[in-house]
């Protein structure tokens, strides 16, 4: 069993690390303080290929694996967690258009999404539908060659500043469940769309988050992704990868926090010795590194299973997301503690790392829902034995 990365994979890591150093790390605190959405930098990420990492090459993307995407997102997140998290969302939306959009839709939007000329948001969560996504109420009613969409979506990243909305809406009856959901690519400036206020969040401040309302929004049937009733299936496929993406952002945050903590312990003097000379603090650093390494292996293993079409990939993605996002928050919080009072002030990045990683335990499915997904699989015959 070979855990080493190929030369090409290490080159991808290095390219992402270089971009993080050049474009993200020195700007992250300012973007956070001003709640600034760095569109121009995101466009430069498109020039580097980071807006269509696993979109097929035939559609203009890099066509990389989910494992390779994880490597890239981890490195980018060492520069700015919040901005990298938006990049993961845009990647998911672009991938969905590339895989299930019709020829006309792809021709009109894919080149712009891949390059960053157009940015995308993903609209699944609703004010009354979070973890129970299959109960969504936004509806799309067929009217000739169009659909008319009505309803609202909540906590939409990038909303109000993006150009395309990938929207999950009910085309079946009120009780049609997951089988009655379809997916649509809706221009963000379509008549009948309204945006709420930019939510004042604890973290993730470099990307806007708004409620999106649809009041009789008319969109051509050519903007439907796949067939009617396939939307929830697409959403779940997207979320498997999305969970790995956000887990990878947590890995990058934890790596940055561990590096900062290591450096601080070496520089800070107390009682005539550097903090790094105290065994209790050495143990703390060792535990942080151990948890990070374990989470990184879980994420890469889950990505490998997803890349290879493993039937249990969804459960592995859920396990990796749960563990990596819990770990990411814990390691950042421990690094803040090691900085003492300095960790609590904005001059140091630790308080921002803690704020930005906290939401990872909630989005892409809460970590409680991750446990539900894993437990349901474990209760099926033979699954527990297959983990060995």
């Amino acid at each position: 069993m070979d855990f080493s990365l190929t030369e090409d994979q290490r080159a991808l890591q290095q390219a992402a690390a270089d971009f993080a150093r050049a474009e993200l790390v020195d700007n992250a605190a300012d973007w956070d303080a001003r709640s600034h959405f760095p569109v121009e930098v995101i466009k430069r990420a498109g020039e580097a290929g980071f807006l269509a990492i696993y979109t097929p090459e035939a559609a203009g993307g890099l066509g990389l694996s989910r494992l390779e995407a994880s490597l890239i997102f981890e490195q980018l997140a060492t520069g700015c967690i919040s901005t990298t998290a938006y990049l993961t969302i845009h990647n998911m939306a672009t991938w969905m258009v590339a895989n299930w959009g019709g020829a006309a839709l792809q021709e009109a939007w894919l080149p712009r999404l891949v390059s960053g000329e157009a940015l995308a948001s993903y609209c699944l969560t609703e004010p009354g539908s979070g973890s129970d996504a299959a109960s969504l109420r936004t509806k799309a009613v067929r009217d000739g060659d169009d659909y008319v969409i009505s309803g609202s979506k909540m906590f939409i990243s990038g909303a109000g500043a993006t150009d395309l909305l990938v929207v999950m809406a009910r085309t079946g009856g009120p009780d049609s469940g997951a089988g009655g959901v379809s997916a649509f690519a809706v221009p963000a400036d379509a008549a009948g769309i309204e945006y709420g206020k930019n939510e004042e969040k604890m973290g993730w401040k470099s990307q806007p988050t708004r409620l999106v309302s649809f009041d009789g929004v008319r969109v051509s049937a050519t903007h439907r992704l796949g067939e009617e009733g396939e939307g929830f299936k697409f959403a779940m496929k997207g979320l498997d990868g999305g969970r790995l993406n956000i887990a990878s952002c947590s890995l990058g945050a934890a790596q940055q926090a561990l590096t900062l903590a290591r450096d601080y312990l070496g520089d800070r003097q107390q009682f005539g010795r550097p903090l790094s000379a105290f065994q209790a603090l050495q143990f703390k650093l060792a535990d942080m590194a151990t948890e990070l390494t374990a989470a990184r292996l879980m994420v890469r293993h889950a990505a490998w299973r997803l890349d290879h079409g493993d039937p249990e990939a969804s459960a592995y993605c859920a396990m990796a997301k749960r563990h990596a996002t819990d770990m990411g928050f814990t390691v950042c919080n421990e690094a803040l503690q090691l900085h003492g009072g300095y960790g609590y002030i904005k001059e140091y990045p630790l308080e921002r790392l803690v704020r930005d990683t906290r939401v990872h335990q909630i989005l892409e499915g809460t970590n409680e829902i991750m446990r539900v997904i894993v437990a349901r699989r474990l209760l099926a015959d033979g699954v527990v034995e297959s983990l060995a």
Side-chain angles (χ1 to χ4, degrees):
M1 186 177 294
D2 186 359
F3 290 96
S4 62
L5 301 179
T6 67
E7 288 187 13
D8 287 346
Q9 289 169 337
R10 292 208 172 275
L12 290 170
Q13 270 188 322
Q14 188 61 55
D18 290 344
F19 188 89
R21 280 192 294 271
E23 300 281 3
L24 302 179
V25 68
D26 290 336
N27 296 311
D30 177 61
W31 296 340
D32 175 80
R34 294 190 292 121
S35 295
H36 174 68
F37 190 44
V39 172
E40 292 305 314
V41 172
I42 292 170
K43 288 181 178 179
R44 288 198 285 277
E47 294 171 5
F50 298 149
L51 295 184
I53 295 171
Y54 47 88
T55 293
E57 289 184 275
L62 295 182
L64 299 178
S65 68
R66 294 307 181 110
L67 172 58
E68 289 159 341
S70 175
L71 301 176
I72 291 170
F73 290 135
E74 178 181 347
Q75 292 301 317
L76 292 176
T78 63
C80 180
I81 304 162
S82 172
T83 304
T84 303
Y86 172 74
L87 297 182
T88 72
I89 294 165
H90 178 90
N91 266 271
M92 181 166 63
T94 302
W95 170 78
M96 293 178 77
V97 172
N99 277 276
W100 297 297
L105 180 70
Q106 291 186 7
E107 183 178 353
W109 284 98
L110 270 180
R112 299 167 62 202
L113 293 172
V114 168
S115 68
E117 179 186 347
L119 300 180
S121 293
Y122 179 70
C123 303
L124 175 61
T125 300
E126 297 185 359
S129 172
S131 296
D132 184 13
S135 68
L136 63 85
R137 295 187 177 185
T138 296
K139 60 183 179 180
V141 179
R142 187 69 183 252
D143 183 20
D145 292 333
D146 298 335
Y147 284 88
V148 179
I149 302 176
S150 299
S152 59
K153 298 292 182 178
M154 191 71 178
F155 303 133
I156 304 306
S157 293
T162 51
D163 307 282
L164 189 70
L165 309 175
V166 174
V167 181
M168 299 296 153
R170 188 164 301 285
T171 48
D175 299 323
S176 56
V181 176
S182 300
F184 299 89
V186 182
D189 60 356
I193 296 179
E194 292 187 2
Y195 297 95
K197 67 179 176 67
N198 185 10
E199 302 290 351
E200 295 186 13
K201 307 185 296 292
M202 176 180 173
W204 270 30
K205 293 189 175 185
S206 75
Q207 51 170 293
T209 302
R210 291 184 170 90
L211 179 142
V212 185
S213 298
F214 301 85
D215 184 8
V217 176
R218 187 171 290 272
V219 62
S220 170
T222 61
H223 281 237
R224 188 186 66 221
L225 304 181
E227 301 299 326
E228 275 199 11
E230 291 189 313
F232 195 77
K233 177 179 68 175
F234 299 160
M236 293 303 102
K237 287 184 176 180
L239 284 174
D240 278 343
R243 287 162 183 160
L244 293 179
N245 292 346
I246 208 63
S248 301
C249 289
S250 289
L251 296 178
Q255 180 66 56
Q256 180 71 349
L258 180 64
T259 301
L260 291 168
R262 187 271 319 270
D263 293 346
Y264 184 78
L265 293 184
D267 293 338
R268 176 73 165 167
Q269 296 275 332
Q270 289 288 277
F271 306 104
R273 292 189 294 166
L275 291 180
S276 59
F278 293 86
Q279 191 176 66
L281 302 185
Q282 294 174 0
F283 285 0
K284 182 68 69 177
L285 205 66
D287 286 345
M288 292 160 65
T290 301
E291 292 300 316
L292 170 56
T293 300
R296 182 177 284 127
L297 290 172
M298 284 191 73
V299 171
R300 292 182 183 179
H301 182 207
W304 182 87
R305 285 183 177 267
L306 189 60
D307 285 332
H308 288 79
D310 189 288
E312 299 300 334
S314 291
Y316 278 90
C317 290
M319 285 191 283
K321 190 270 182 183
R322 200 286 300 165
H323 183 68
T325 57
D326 282 349
M327 175 283 306
F329 177 75
T330 298
V331 168
C332 290
N333 195 42
E334 293 285 8
L336 187 154
Q337 184 73 17
L338 290 173
H339 278 71
Y342 291 107
Y344 201 65
I345 61 176
K346 286 183 178 288
E347 184 178 346
Y348 288 73
L350 272 304
E351 61 86 29
R352 174 167 44 83
L353 297 184
V354 170
R355 288 189 287 107
D356 281 346
T357 52
R358 180 60 183 87
V359 74
H360 295 185
Q361 296 168 295
I362 298 172
L363 51 83
E364 303 288 4
T366 67
N367 283 2
E368 290 74 18
I369 290 297
M370 297 305 99
R371 291 177 172 89
V372 170
I373 292 169
V374 174
R376 285 176 177 171
R377 288 306 304 147
L378 292 177
L379 292 171
D381 289 342
V383 172
V384 170
E385 290 79 4
S386 72
L387 296 178

